[in-house]
């Protein structure tokens, strides 16, 4: 009965490869997010989708492309992986914006070698 | 632009002692403020949030925070620390963008609880 789930939990890959991270939420929320947490634990928003529509698109390299097949899923595809992409990526969801709580997934730890 | 500053990247307290984690915010509009906790190798869990109702907000696990507009602060406190409170704590401010909210996080404070 996990609320926000991510797969895989760990991802180790070589520079230049393309990889995807999947996120699913069963909370019935309309809005989903991707955050990146770097090695110093700093968290920064990357994208947000509401009901499959892109709402927030921060300054992120265009190698990162989010895809939302339906409002319960938000996947993150990364092309041509670089060393600096190594981080923990968190998916989150909320029922709209404003004061609504964002519920976070367990994270995907990406290591690029 | 909205931002939060967490003073002290690392705080150590004895079990049973008062916990005080500091957060100051900067916002041009009345802010929505949040405290999240991250246990090792886990995602973030909401502790509490301020939404312009009561200035003293009570959260889970005995934590509370007081919104002080004059000091632009939203410090997190707990009267008596427990070993299980050891974790990373993040203060965040929310910017509403229609159907989504952009959370801007502080740099985090690692709480260590010693015997």
């Amino acid at each position: 009965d996990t609320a926000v789930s991510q797969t895989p939990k760990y991802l180790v890959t070589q520079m230049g490869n393309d990889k995807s991270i999947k996120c699913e939420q069963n909370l019935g929320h309309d809005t989903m997010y991707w955050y990146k947490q770097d090695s110093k634990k700093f968290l920064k928003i990357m994208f947000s989708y509401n009901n499959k529509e892109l709402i927030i698109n921060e300054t992120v390299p265009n190698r990162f492309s989010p895809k939302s097949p339906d409002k319960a899923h938000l996947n993150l595809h990364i092309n041509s992986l670089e060393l600096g992409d190594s981080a923990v990526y968190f998916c989150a969801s909320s029922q709209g914006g404003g004061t609504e709580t964002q519920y976070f997934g367990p994270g995907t730890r990406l290591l690029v070698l | 632009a909205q931002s939060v500053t967490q003073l002290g990247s690392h705080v150590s307290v004895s079990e049973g002692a008062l916990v005080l984690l500091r957060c100051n915010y900067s916002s041009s509009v009345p802010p929505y403020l949040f405290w999240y906790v991250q246990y090792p190798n886990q995602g973030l869990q909401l502790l509490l949030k301020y939404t312009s109702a009561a200035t003293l907000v009570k959260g889970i696990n005995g934590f509370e925070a007081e919104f002080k507009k004059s000091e632009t602060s939203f410090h997190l406190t707990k009267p008596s620390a427990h070993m299980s409170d050891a974790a990373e704590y993040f203060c965040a401010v929310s910017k509403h963008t229609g159907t989504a909210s952009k959370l801007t996080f502080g740099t985090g404070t690692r709480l260590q609880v010693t015997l």
Side-chain angles (χ1 to χ4, degrees):
Chain A
D1 60 342
T2 304
V4 182
S5 59
Q6 297 179 227
T7 53
K9 190 168 184 178
Y10 299 97
L11 189 51
V12 181
T13 187
Q14 299 288 328
M15 263 196 320
N17 284 350
D18 302 338
K19 290 294 178 184
S20 291
I21 306 172
K22 295 186 177 182
C23 177
E24 177 181 4
Q25 55 93 5
N26 63 6
L27 296 167
H29 289 164
D30 291 332
T31 305
M32 297 184 72
Y33 309 79
W34 277 110
Y35 287 85
K36 178 181 179 180
Q37 186 175 45
D38 64 22
S39 58
K40 295 185 178 178
K41 300 279 188 177
F42 183 65
L43 277 151
K44 186 170 169 56
I45 191 167
M46 300 173 69
F47 303 103
S48 176
Y49 270 73
N50 176 267
N51 205 9
K52 303 195 296 177
E53 181 184 353
L54 182 64
I55 302 296
I56 296 172
N57 186 356
E58 290 294 287
T59 308
V60 176
N62 57 17
R63 298 182 295 103
F64 290 78
S65 54
K67 287 183 172 55
S68 181
D70 56 61
K71 73 174 192 176
H73 296 84
L74 180 61
N75 304 323
L76 183 65
H77 188 75
I78 315 171
N79 290 327
S80 304
L81 278 155
E82 301 178 356
L83 294 176
D85 298 331
S86 296
V88 182
Y89 292 85
F90 288 101
C91 178
S93 74
S94 68
Q95 188 55 45
T99 62
E100 297 296 330
T101 299
Q102 292 186 24
Y103 294 85
F104 284 77
T108 295
R109 190 173 297 271
L110 172 65
L111 178 61
V112 182
L113 302 174
Chain B
Q2 295 178 303
S3 65
V4 291
T5 301
Q6 291 184 243
L7 297 174
S9 60
H10 183 245
V11 170
S12 182
V13 300
S14 300
E15 190 174 36
L18 172 71
V19 175
L20 171 60
L21 304 182
R22 299 177 187 273
C23 174
N24 288 88
Y25 69 89
S26 172
S27 177
S28 57
V29 297
Y32 298 140
L33 294 161
F34 300 77
W35 275 101
Y36 279 85
V37 60
Q38 184 179 27
Y39 297 102
N41 298 315
Q42 292 187 30
L44 283 79
Q45 180 182 6
L46 180 72
L47 279 176
L48 49 81
K49 63 181 180 182
Y50 169 74
T51 59
S52 74
T55 56
L56 182 61
V57 183
K58 294 188 184 298
I60 62 171
N61 302 339
F63 285 93
E64 62 182 37
E66 186 172 8
F67 173 75
K68 291 187 176 180
K69 185 178 178 180
S70 61
E71 299 177 8
T72 61
S73 68
F74 190 56
H75 302 331
L76 183 70
T77 60
K78 182 174 180 177
S80 176
H82 192 271
M83 295 296 288
S84 61
D85 294 326
E88 193 89 24
Y89 291 79
F90 292 93
C91 182
V93 62
S94 172
K95 179 178 179 181
H96 187 47
T97 57
T99 53
S101 289
K102 176 182 168 182
L103 282 177
T104 299
F105 286 90
T107 50
T109 297
R110 178 175 293 271
L111 176 65
Q112 181 182 18
V113 182
T114 58
L115 288 171

